[in-house]
Amino acid sequence: MPRGPGDGRTRRQALRAALGAAGALAASGGLAGCGHHLARLDRAVRRPLVLLWRPWLPPGAPHTSSESLLHAGIRPWLQANPGVEVRVVAYAHRADLTAAMVAGQGPDVFCDHLLPTFAQAGLVYDIGTYVRSFGVRLDAFAPALLRYLQSVSNAGGGSGRLYGLPAYTHTLAMAVNEGTLATLGLSRPQPDWTHVQWADLWQRAVSLTPGRHRYGGNLYWSGYDYSGGNPAPFYLRGFGGEYVDPADTARCQLAAPGSIAAMTWCDQLVRSGVAGGDTLTDLGSGRLVSGPLGTAGDLARAAELWQGVRWNLYPMPVWPKGRLTFASSAFYGVWSGSRYPEVAWSLVRYLCLEPAWQRWMMQVALLGPNQPGLWDEWLSRVLQVGASALRAIDLRVFVDAVQRDEAYVGESFRFAEARCASLIRGFGAQVRSGHRPLVQAAAQTSTAVDALQRRGLAREAQAKAALARLNGAKA
């Protein structure tokens, strides 16, 4: 998958500026409003209770300067639940976070984008019962995000478990340097263009500038499970392929015909020099005519870097199986070791369901809300706080992609998530280096991943058999 918003250093300055704007708004009381489903505890807290919270934080945002703004975002919840103190904890790396959880010192509520890491280690609480008992309307969330979380939560079979709720939405559109196209004498793209037409535009841009180091387009190669060097899952899905078989998440689909077709298309463009580069740094300079651009930090950075550039946004290409784009897998969950799961659930409910918090995230980081119904409001808020350049950009492209459910997260393997991701990362390196042909490398990687999954299934079967014997002995 492509990286989530705020994972790169290039976004730092723009999001610090957004934090300052949010501080002014919070001070004026503009974030105080909330919906009628404000999450309160069923019973009053009779003694001071400290809840630890690991939120999503913008890159480079100092912990001390951000905490007051974070508290401003949850002020309605704090006022509705007197006696609860929420302390913000920051972990720079996921390894630090999981180590703290294993050591019994984890945050009660946390945000991350790799749920399988926590689910397979038993570090996340099943909030499915809370969701049902509180009558939470899951159909309010973006379907792509919810499907992913439900799939990971019930990877071992069954239904009803839920290990988290969607934190926000991050998606992509095609940014185009219209000024460069005009200079080259090329026509602007059309909203219904296929991947073939986009590739043809990139090829013509390269052919019109012989002898210059210029790319046509960028394919945003970030890969499965946020690993670099491979196409994102929506590319494969657009051709009818997958990294993971949706019908059997213990099987790898990397060598399936649709997956091979998608990767062949990408690989040929990169090898021929038609595709490459980085959208943020190269589009403004004219080295790229187009490339996928994300919401949140990507959008804020583009507004800063591309001042004076004539650019606009277009829908993602129409792939052979339809139009698809990226969706992040970010979630809020409750640590399984929390001493106060009911209180933690109440905060998660606020963070994921209340328009007040979603509006705060829009304002602070230009993050898209997790509910399609709030995306029109996202559009108006971005235009309020964004640079003047954004007011001429067709930001509606982002809104339409989410509201039409065109965003795709991808599937996760049932077992051995880290090792599977490592194998797939290695697959990309083999292909790019020319060490192995694409089809051969895909077949070998699929075989290796499937072997890991079979071992996982065998261990699961052994554990179930041992439990059955134990229960039989007790009876």
Side-chain angles (χ1 to χ4, degrees), residues 1 114 117 120 222-230 243-244 252 254 413 415-432 436 441 444-446 448-450 452-453:
M1 298 177 194
L114 284 183
T117 299
Q120 294 178 10
S222 290
Y224 169 77
D225 192 27
Y226 291 83
S227 62
N230 299 301
Y243 280 107
V244 183
C252 180
L254 190 63
F413 288 107
F415 301 106
E417 180 76 15
R419 283 182 289 173
C420 290
S422 178
L423 285 169
I424 292 174
R425 189 181 302 114
F427 152 79
Q430 290 176 9
V431 173
R432 290 191 305 277
R436 282 190 175 87
Q444 291 176 339
T445 302
S446 291
V449 170
D450 285 349
L452 285 176
Q453 298 301 303

Side-chain angles (χ1 to χ4, degrees), residues 184 203-215 272-273 287:
L184 297 176
Q203 179 66 64
R204 284 186 289 152
V206 171
S207 64
L208 287 170
T209 55
R212 295 186 62 190
H213 188 57
R214 183 193 299 277
Y215 295 110
S272 63
R287 293 182 62 205

Side-chain angles (χ1 to χ4, degrees), residues 383-399:
L383 292 176
Q384 288 172 11
V385 302
S388 59
L390 289 181
R391 299 191 181 110
I393 304 303
D394 187 11
L395 300 174
R396 184 82 210 176
V397 173
F398 290 124
V399 181

Side-chain angles (χ1 to χ4, degrees), residues 37 54-55 65 87 104 107 129 131 175 201 237 309 326 342 369 373 382 393 423 425 449 469-470:
H37 298 296
R54 191 251 198 175
S65 64
R87 294 180 185 171
T129 302
V131 166
L201 174 68
R237 177 83 161 188
V309 177
F326 168 73
E342 180 183 340
V382 170
I393 304 303
L423 285 169
R425 189 181 302 114
V449 170
R469 289 194 298 270
L470 179 62

Side-chain angles (χ1 to χ4, degrees), residues 173-179 188 283 293-295 298-300 302-304 306-315 378-380 382-383 386-399:
M174 290 294 282
V176 174
N177 188 326
E178 295 180 337
R188 290 179 296 179
L283 189 138
L293 182 75
T295 48
D298 281 353
L299 187 57
E304 179 186 13
W306 299 348
Q307 295 183 36
V309 177
R310 202 173 96 207
W311 66 282
N312 208 343
L313 292 174
Y314 292 81
W378 174 87
L379 178 58
S380 63
V382 170
L383 292 176
S388 59
L390 289 181
R391 299 191 181 110
I393 304 303
D394 187 11
L395 300 174
R396 184 82 210 176
V397 173
F398 290 124
V399 181

